[in-house]
Amino acid sequence: MAINDDDDFLRAAIDEAEIPALLPALAQLTGDLSLLRDDLRPDPTDRFSPQGALGDEQLAAARELALRTLADWRDRGCPTAPKFADGQVRRLIEFTTSGALDDYLPLLVEELAHDGDPGRPDWTKAELAADAPLHVVIIGAGMSGLAAAHRLRQAGVPFEILEKNADVGGTWLENTYPGCRVDVTNHLYSFSFTGNHDWPGHFSTQRALLDYFRDFADEQDLKRHIRFGTEVVAAEYVEAEHCWELEVRDAGGSRRLRAQAVISAVGQLNRPSYPKISGLADFAGPSFHSARWDHDVDLTGKRVAVIGTGASAVQFVPIIAEQAAEVHLFQRTPPWLVPTPDYHDPVPSGLRWLLRNVPHYARWYRFWLFCRSAEGVLPAVAVDPDWAGDPRSVSARNEELRQLLVAYLEMSLPDDPELVRKITPQYPPAAKRMLRDNGTWPATLRQEDVHLVTEPIQEVTATGVRTTDGRQHDADVLILATGFQASNFLTPMRVTGRDGVDLHRRWGGDARAYLGITVPGFPNFFMIYGPNTNIVVNGSIIFFSECAVNYIVGCLRLLLERGSAALECRAEVHDGFNADVDRANLLMSWGKSTVHSWYKNEHGRVAQNWPFSLMEYWKRTKRPDPADFLLRGGGSE
């Protein structure tokens, strides 16, 4: 790769760079470790300050240093970067992390992926057991299903994907409401093994994400393995033959097929939740859920009632408010807003140029984003059992965070204390999902044609919504922004394991799995993004899905190495793990608080969230421990 641009161009690009990523990238590019100056070390633990909390003088010095280095490399003809030893790479990592994440070093080395794709299986089925029967069915062609397919193909394991929709993308195919976008920066919300340096925005829209997954499926030639328009109705384990029999439904009707292993990649947020409100079916006008947006309904000049102020509403209400004559917004519980000034901003052209043209920079940029989010604000949402301060927080650090978030609301609405009061949560930060905001939400609520209603809903009528204070709020269109049935894992699919045990009956509305992946009594059945694998204040869910895929592929390897036909998690391992998770979740903001949240199931247990660090999940899923499983069939019996 050659650079021929002049110094002025380089200077303009560097002004838009993330300096904590650029300096180690240039050090690796040139082999000059003197660029890693102690006075220019960033602080990855400061999530609210830009550029790793480097001051103006530090940034000026770093940019001048980067310009001289990049211009010199250009003038020398852009020579190939020297090969770095692991010890040198570790020095680069230690500079970027300032030693704050030393315990993460093995994970960070892997995440940087400076020497290829470290997650690629180092084995193939042909090498281990070419003649062993092993066909895998993946349910779902969303992000997790595609990741699983990619790794299985690398390992030479035969597979097919069953997808109920007509295309890949999962939630990014189904959710098409106006303003839909991701809330994790896209250079991190992407596969580690196939990055994208040309994201249009820092937090890209639904369409950009859908295009990313479509392109990945095309580039990896995965679509030929997918049966589109095919929904799995039921899966039953045939114990005598150590295989799964699936009942599927497609345009041709119902049929059955068999597989030695099943991977469910249906996710948690794929079935809309409809509120139990009296009269909901009586509304005379158009009515739809935000996750099933009806684009045939023209909102121009209409009176629109929106029930819910969660993540979807915060994204689409500002847009429909520009079209509708009037919006009545019914709020049960306000969300905490996390200030994110660049939430809607495009990626600057200079930064995009650096990502495309400066070797190593794209990896270090993604790595820097990972470092900043690896722990996130996890320590600030942990419960201090001795905390005797404000009951709206769970520790001193949580109170500091709460005050910062309250100050943001007050700053956003300096002349409207009553509105600030209405949208200020009375529960601890992170007890419910916190939402990103760049000032758009408070500004929308201040519009004269937007009415925030905080009185509880009594009923929906044919012409609108009536609240418990007796007021009728007339509407032409009703939109439900009421989230998903997150706790109803695997529904509506029936899953029957050994001895005819129905998984949903066993769970009884309280889904549990070992590592969120496997359940005793259900051999060779695996889940990605299963119970207690949701992360809310740190990292990217794609990281978790990749960890789960790595573990599942490791389980399949174990089957082939041992000559076994079936692998089943031991009950005591499963139960001990879930006891640890439950104890830890009670020591987090979302476990201690009594506020209503989709993090909790109908029993009041936190069935969604992972209460530990990213490092903990990475270590636990690095490779399966044979002692955790019962192996049956083949050479195991």
Side-chain angles (χ1 to χ4, degrees):
M1 181 177 294
I3 293 177
N4 300 307
D5 305 273
D6 62 25
D7 286 7
D8 288 340
F9 181 91
L10 297 182
R11 180 178 289 106
I14 289 170
D15 283 345
E16 294 177 343
E18 281 288 326
I19 293 301
L22 185 57
L23 290 182
L26 292 176
Q28 185 172 2
L29 176 63
T30 63
D32 183 3
L33 297 181
S34 71
L35 297 174
L36 310 179
R37 288 169 31 180
D38 287 342
D39 62 318
L40 300 180
R41 285 180 181 270
D43 180 4
T45 64
D46 188 338
R47 299 190 69 240
F48 294 100
S49 298
Q51 298 284 2
L54 294 174
D56 291 341
E57 292 185 3
Q58 291 171 298
L59 288 173
R63 286 170 177 148
E64 186 61 30
L65 180 62
L67 175 61
R68 291 200 307 268
T69 303
L70 191 55
D72 175 70
W73 182 73
R74 174 202 61 197
D75 295 342
R76 290 188 291 112
C78 304
T80 302
K83 180 70 173 178
F84 262 41
D86 287 346
Q88 292 172 302
V89 173
R90 284 184 171 84
R91 184 173 172 189
L92 297 175
I93 290 174
E94 288 164 356
F95 169 82
T96 307
T97 62
S98 293
L101 298 173
D102 283 348
D103 292 342
Y104 273 71
L105 191 57
L107 167 56
L108 294 176
V109 170
E110 181 174 299
E111 180 63 23
L112 181 60
H114 73 98
D115 194 22
D117 177 8
R120 182 187 182 99
D122 60 358
W123 59 276
T124 66
K125 180 179 181 297
E127 294 170 345
L128 295 182
D131 298 328
L134 181 57
H135 178 72
V136 181
V137 164
I138 301 169
I139 305 174
M143 173 271 292
S144 297
L146 294 176
H150 178 64
R151 291 307 193 199
L152 289 179
R153 193 181 63 171
Q154 289 179 324
V157 175
F159 70 91
E160 64 181 319
I161 305 176
L162 306 180
E163 170 54 57
K164 63 181 174 61
N165 293 317
D167 202 352
V168 303
T171 188
W172 299 111
L173 173 69
E174 296 177 353
N175 285 268
T176 61
Y177 60 81
C180 181
R181 68 176 62 233
V182 72
D183 60 2
V184 174
T185 181
N186 265 130
H187 292 86
L188 188 57
Y189 191 88
S190 54
F191 293 131
S192 66
F193 42 78
T194 175
N196 177 12
H197 311 327
D198 286 320
W199 289 108
H202 291 291
F203 300 86
S204 292
T205 62
Q206 171 263 339
R207 184 54 194 235
L209 287 156
L210 179 57
D211 287 345
Y212 171 74
F213 292 118
R214 282 173 169 167
D215 290 345
F216 175 75
D218 287 336
E219 291 165 2
Q220 300 299 322
D221 195 24
L222 295 178
K223 287 185 178 179
R224 66 187 178 91
H225 297 278
I226 304 175
R227 294 193 193 185
F228 291 109
T230 303
E231 182 171 15
V232 177
V233 177
E236 182 177 1
Y237 187 64
V238 183
E239 189 167 359
E241 300 178 42
H242 301 295
C243 71
W244 284 89
E245 184 170 272
L246 284 74
E247 178 186 351
V248 302
R249 183 185 299 124
D250 57 22
S254 295
R255 66 190 67 190
R256 292 180 178 273
L257 57 90
R258 288 194 170 191
Q260 279 70 46
V262 175
I263 300 174
S264 170
V266 300
Q268 296 183 13
L269 308 179
N270 64 337
R271 300 284 174 176
S273 176
Y274 291 88
K276 297 178 181 179
I277 300 175
S278 175
L280 191 60
D282 298 333
F283 185 72
S287 173
F288 53 88
H289 194 284
S290 60
R292 299 292 183 266
W293 196 272
D294 190 343
H295 292 277
D296 292 331
V297 177
D298 185 1
L299 301 180
T300 304
K302 299 293 197 304
R303 298 169 300 176
V304 182
V306 177
I307 298 178
T309 55
S312 300
V314 167
Q315 292 181 340
F316 76 73
V317 168
I319 295 178
I320 69 168
E322 298 176 359
Q323 308 163 9
E326 195 174 33
V327 176
H328 281 89
L329 181 60
F330 296 87
Q331 172 185 279
R332 178 174 59 181
T333 311
W336 282 113
L337 302 179
V338 178
T340 309
D342 62 352
Y343 189 40
H344 292 165
D345 291 353
V347 177
S349 59
L351 176 56
R352 294 179 74 171
W353 182 89
L354 290 168
L355 291 166
R356 290 194 301 265
N357 293 282
V358 176
H360 307 301
Y361 181 64
R363 286 195 181 278
W364 281 103
Y365 180 67
R366 188 182 192 277
F367 177 77
W368 168 243
L369 297 175
F370 178 86
C371 290
R372 297 196 73 191
S373 67
E375 287 291 359
V377 295
L378 193 66
V381 301
V383 173
D384 177 359
D386 299 322
W387 174 243
D390 195 304
R392 294 170 295 181
S393 53
V394 296
S395 69
R397 294 187 67 173
N398 192 244
E399 175 62 14
E400 290 176 5
L401 177 60
R402 189 186 73 83
Q403 291 184 14
L404 282 172
L405 300 180
V406 170
Y408 173 69
L409 296 176
E410 293 173 342
M411 179 188 68
S412 301
L413 298 165
D415 303 321
D416 200 337
E418 177 59 18
L419 184 53
V420 171
R421 182 190 66 78
K422 287 184 176 182
I423 67 172
T424 299
Q426 300 303 304
Y427 55 86
K432 289 173 66 76
R433 181 178 177 181
M434 298 194 294
L435 309 179
R436 292 189 181 274
D437 178 68
N438 59 356
T440 300
W441 185 244
T444 299
L445 298 180
R446 292 193 66 173
Q447 294 179 205
E448 292 185 1
D449 56 353
V450 176
H451 312 288
L452 182 65
V453 182
T454 58
E455 290 79 11
I457 295 174
Q458 178 177 316
E459 62 178 343
V460 173
T461 68
T463 58
V465 179
R466 181 174 292 120
T467 47
T468 54
D469 59 1
R471 292 187 61 191
Q472 168 74 14
H473 305 269
D474 291 332
D476 304 307
V477 180
L478 176 63
I479 302 176
L480 306 175
T482 48
F484 298 87
Q485 302 176 44
S487 297
N488 295 332
F489 290 89
L490 304 182
T491 56
M493 180 172 58
R494 299 190 310 276
V495 181
T496 307
R498 282 194 306 102
D499 303 321
V501 175
D502 181 279
L503 183 56
H504 290 296
R505 289 183 181 176
R506 170 177 173 163
W507 278 342
D510 190 13
R512 299 171 183 268
Y514 179 53
L515 300 174
I517 297 173
T518 181
V519 181
F522 294 80
N524 294 5
F525 185 89
F526 308 100
M527 290 175 283
I528 308 174
Y529 200 15
N532 290 114
T533 59
N534 186 55
I535 48 176
V536 293
V537 294
N538 59 327
S540 162
I541 191 59
I542 292 185
F543 174 84
F544 254 53
S545 289
E546 288 191 26
C547 286
V549 168
N550 176 76
Y551 186 83
I552 293 167
V553 171
C555 287
L556 299 179
R557 176 180 184 169
L558 185 59
L559 284 176
L560 296 172
E561 287 179 331
R562 298 295 179 92
S564 303
L567 171 150
E568 178 184 338
C569 177
R570 294 181 182 273
E572 63 271 20
V573 172
H574 169 277
D575 294 347
F577 165 80
N578 278 279
D580 291 342
V581 166
D582 285 349
R583 280 192 295 269
N585 267 323
L586 290 175
L587 294 175
M588 305 305 290
S589 175
W590 52 76
K592 180 177 177 60
S593 175
T594 58
V595 68
H596 181 272
S597 166
W598 64 266
Y599 297 160
K600 297 180 180 179
N601 60 26
E602 62 189 76
H603 301 279
R605 187 181 77 87
V606 177
Q608 271 67 44
N609 292 2
W610 175 255
F612 307 114
S613 66
L614 298 189
M615 180 67 168
E616 184 68 20
Y617 197 68
W618 178 80
K619 289 194 298 185
R620 285 176 174 265
T621 56
K622 189 64 178 170
R623 59 183 55 85
D625 183 347
D628 291 343
F629 296 94
L630 298 171
L631 293 165
R632 294 190 172 93
S636 300
E637 293 184 334

Short mmCIF file of all heavy atoms in Angstrom, two decimals, residues 204-225:
data_model
loop_
_atom_site.label_atom_id
_atom_site.label_comp_id
_atom_site.label_asym_id
_atom_site.label_seq_id
_atom_site.Cartn_x
_atom_site.Cartn_y
_atom_site.Cartn_z
N SER A 204 -24.05 3.13 13.23
CA SER A 204 -24.72 3.11 11.93
C SER A 204 -26.17 2.66 12.02
O SER A 204 -26.62 2.06 12.99
CB SER A 204 -23.95 2.21 10.95
OG SER A 204 -22.71 2.79 10.63
N THR A 205 -26.88 2.95 10.95
CA THR A 205 -28.31 2.68 10.88
C THR A 205 -28.58 1.21 10.57
O THR A 205 -27.68 0.45 10.18
CB THR A 205 -28.95 3.54 9.79
OG1 THR A 205 -28.36 3.18 8.52
CG2 THR A 205 -28.74 5.02 10.06
N GLN A 206 -29.84 0.85 10.71
CA GLN A 206 -30.27 -0.51 10.43
C GLN A 206 -29.87 -0.94 9.02
O GLN A 206 -29.40 -2.07 8.81
CB GLN A 206 -31.79 -0.60 10.60
CG GLN A 206 -32.42 -1.90 10.13
CD GLN A 206 -32.99 -1.79 8.72
OE1 GLN A 206 -33.27 -0.69 8.25
NE2 GLN A 206 -33.14 -2.92 8.05
N ARG A 207 -30.04 -0.06 8.06
CA ARG A 207 -29.74 -0.45 6.68
C ARG A 207 -28.25 -0.74 6.48
O ARG A 207 -27.87 -1.69 5.80
CB ARG A 207 -30.18 0.65 5.72
CG ARG A 207 -30.00 0.30 4.24
CD ARG A 207 -30.71 -1.02 3.94
NE ARG A 207 -30.33 -1.57 2.67
CZ ARG A 207 -31.19 -1.89 1.71
NH1 ARG A 207 -32.48 -1.66 1.90
NH2 ARG A 207 -30.79 -2.42 0.58
N ALA A 208 -27.39 0.07 7.10
CA ALA A 208 -25.95 -0.16 6.98
C ALA A 208 -25.57 -1.50 7.60
O ALA A 208 -24.72 -2.23 7.07
CB ALA A 208 -25.18 0.98 7.63
N LEU A 209 -26.20 -1.83 8.73
CA LEU A 209 -25.90 -3.10 9.39
C LEU A 209 -26.41 -4.27 8.57
O LEU A 209 -25.73 -5.30 8.43
CB LEU A 209 -26.54 -3.10 10.79
CG LEU A 209 -25.81 -2.20 11.79
CD1 LEU A 209 -26.74 -1.77 12.90
CD2 LEU A 209 -24.60 -2.92 12.35
N LEU A 210 -27.61 -4.13 8.02
CA LEU A 210 -28.15 -5.19 7.18
C LEU A 210 -27.25 -5.43 5.97
O LEU A 210 -26.96 -6.58 5.61
CB LEU A 210 -29.57 -4.84 6.73
CG LEU A 210 -30.27 -5.84 5.80
CD1 LEU A 210 -30.34 -7.22 6.44
CD2 LEU A 210 -31.66 -5.34 5.43
N ASP A 211 -26.79 -4.35 5.36
CA ASP A 211 -25.88 -4.48 4.22
C ASP A 211 -24.58 -5.19 4.63
O ASP A 211 -24.03 -6.00 3.86
CB ASP A 211 -25.55 -3.11 3.64
CG ASP A 211 -26.72 -2.51 2.87
OD1 ASP A 211 -27.67 -3.26 2.54
OD2 ASP A 211 -26.70 -1.29 2.62
N TYR A 212 -24.11 -4.90 5.84
CA TYR A 212 -22.87 -5.53 6.32
C TYR A 212 -23.05 -7.05 6.41
O TYR A 212 -22.20 -7.82 5.94
CB TYR A 212 -22.51 -4.95 7.68
CG TYR A 212 -21.37 -5.66 8.40
CD1 TYR A 212 -20.05 -5.49 7.98
CD2 TYR A 212 -21.63 -6.51 9.47
CE1 TYR A 212 -19.01 -6.13 8.64
CE2 TYR A 212 -20.59 -7.16 10.13
CZ TYR A 212 -19.29 -6.97 9.71
OH TYR A 212 -18.26 -7.60 10.35
N PHE A 213 -24.16 -7.50 7.00
CA PHE A 213 -24.37 -8.94 7.15
C PHE A 213 -24.69 -9.59 5.81
O PHE A 213 -24.28 -10.75 5.56
CB PHE A 213 -25.47 -9.19 8.18
CG PHE A 213 -25.06 -8.82 9.58
CD1 PHE A 213 -25.73 -7.83 10.27
CD2 PHE A 213 -23.99 -9.44 10.19
CE1 PHE A 213 -25.34 -7.47 11.55
CE2 PHE A 213 -23.58 -9.09 11.46
CZ PHE A 213 -24.27 -8.10 12.14
N ARG A 214 -25.40 -8.88 4.94
CA ARG A 214 -25.63 -9.42 3.59
C ARG A 214 -24.30 -9.60 2.85
O ARG A 214 -24.07 -10.64 2.22
CB ARG A 214 -26.53 -8.47 2.81
CG ARG A 214 -28.01 -8.57 3.17
CD ARG A 214 -28.79 -7.47 2.46
NE ARG A 214 -30.23 -7.67 2.56
CZ ARG A 214 -31.12 -6.74 2.25
NH1 ARG A 214 -30.72 -5.53 1.83
NH2 ARG A 214 -32.42 -7.00 2.35
N ASP A 215 -23.46 -8.57 2.91
CA ASP A 215 -22.17 -8.64 2.21
C ASP A 215 -21.31 -9.77 2.76
O ASP A 215 -20.64 -10.49 2.00
CB ASP A 215 -21.43 -7.31 2.33
CG ASP A 215 -22.09 -6.20 1.54
OD1 ASP A 215 -22.94 -6.49 0.67
OD2 ASP A 215 -21.77 -5.01 1.79
N PHE A 216 -21.34 -9.93 4.10
CA PHE A 216 -20.55 -11.01 4.70
C PHE A 216 -21.03 -12.37 4.20
O PHE A 216 -20.22 -13.24 3.84
CB PHE A 216 -20.65 -10.94 6.22
CG PHE A 216 -19.98 -12.09 6.92
CD1 PHE A 216 -18.60 -12.16 7.01
CD2 PHE A 216 -20.72 -13.12 7.48
CE1 PHE A 216 -17.97 -13.22 7.63
CE2 PHE A 216 -20.11 -14.18 8.11
CZ PHE A 216 -18.73 -14.24 8.19
N ALA A 217 -22.34 -12.57 4.18
CA ALA A 217 -22.89 -13.84 3.72
C ALA A 217 -22.51 -14.10 2.26
O ALA A 217 -22.22 -15.25 1.87
CB ALA A 217 -24.40 -13.86 3.89
N ASP A 218 -22.52 -13.04 1.44
CA ASP A 218 -22.15 -13.20 0.04
C ASP A 218 -20.66 -13.48 -0.11
O ASP A 218 -20.25 -14.40 -0.85
CB ASP A 218 -22.51 -11.93 -0.74
CG ASP A 218 -24.01 -11.78 -0.96
OD1 ASP A 218 -24.72 -12.81 -0.93
OD2 ASP A 218 -24.47 -10.64 -1.13
N GLU A 219 -19.84 -12.71 0.58
CA GLU A 219 -18.39 -12.86 0.45
C GLU A 219 -17.92 -14.24 0.91
O GLU A 219 -16.97 -14.81 0.35
CB GLU A 219 -17.68 -11.77 1.26
CG GLU A 219 -17.84 -10.38 0.67
CD GLU A 219 -17.44 -9.30 1.66
OE1 GLU A 219 -16.99 -9.65 2.78
OE2 GLU A 219 -17.58 -8.10 1.32
N GLN A 220 -18.58 -14.77 1.94
CA GLN A 220 -18.19 -16.08 2.48
C GLN A 220 -18.97 -17.23 1.84
O GLN A 220 -18.83 -18.38 2.26
CB GLN A 220 -18.40 -16.09 4.00
CG GLN A 220 -17.59 -15.04 4.74
CD GLN A 220 -16.10 -15.21 4.56
OE1 GLN A 220 -15.60 -16.33 4.52
NE2 GLN A 220 -15.39 -14.10 4.45
N ASP A 221 -19.81 -16.88 0.85
CA ASP A 221 -20.59 -17.89 0.13
C ASP A 221 -21.43 -18.76 1.07
O ASP A 221 -21.49 -19.98 0.93
CB ASP A 221 -19.65 -18.76 -0.71
CG ASP A 221 -20.40 -19.58 -1.76
OD1 ASP A 221 -21.51 -19.17 -2.15
OD2 ASP A 221 -19.89 -20.65 -2.15
N LEU A 222 -22.07 -18.10 2.04
CA LEU A 222 -22.86 -18.83 3.03
C LEU A 222 -24.31 -19.04 2.60
O LEU A 222 -24.98 -19.94 3.11
CB LEU A 222 -22.83 -18.09 4.36
CG LEU A 222 -21.47 -17.98 5.07
CD1 LEU A 222 -21.58 -17.18 6.36
CD2 LEU A 222 -20.90 -19.37 5.35
N LYS A 223 -24.79 -18.24 1.68
CA LYS A 223 -26.22 -18.31 1.34
C LYS A 223 -26.60 -19.65 0.71
O LYS A 223 -27.75 -20.08 0.80
CB LYS A 223 -26.61 -17.15 0.42
CG LYS A 223 -26.67 -15.82 1.14
CD LYS A 223 -27.18 -14.71 0.23
CE LYS A 223 -27.27 -13.40 1.01
NZ LYS A 223 -27.74 -12.26 0.16
N ARG A 224 -25.64 -20.29 0.08
CA ARG A 224 -25.97 -21.60 -0.50
C ARG A 224 -26.22 -22.66 0.56
O ARG A 224 -26.74 -23.75 0.26
CB ARG A 224 -24.86 -22.05 -1.45
CG ARG A 224 -23.52 -22.33 -0.80
CD ARG A 224 -22.47 -22.60 -1.87
NE ARG A 224 -21.15 -22.84 -1.32
CZ ARG A 224 -20.69 -24.04 -0.99
NH1 ARG A 224 -21.45 -25.11 -1.16
NH2 ARG A 224 -19.47 -24.17 -0.48
N HIS A 225 -25.87 -22.34 1.82
CA HIS A 225 -26.13 -23.26 2.92
C HIS A 225 -27.44 -22.92 3.66
O HIS A 225 -27.75 -23.57 4.65
CB HIS A 225 -24.98 -23.21 3.93
CG HIS A 225 -23.67 -23.65 3.39
ND1 HIS A 225 -23.30 -24.98 3.31
CD2 HIS A 225 -22.61 -22.94 2.90
CE1 HIS A 225 -22.08 -25.08 2.79
NE2 HIS A 225 -21.64 -23.85 2.54
#
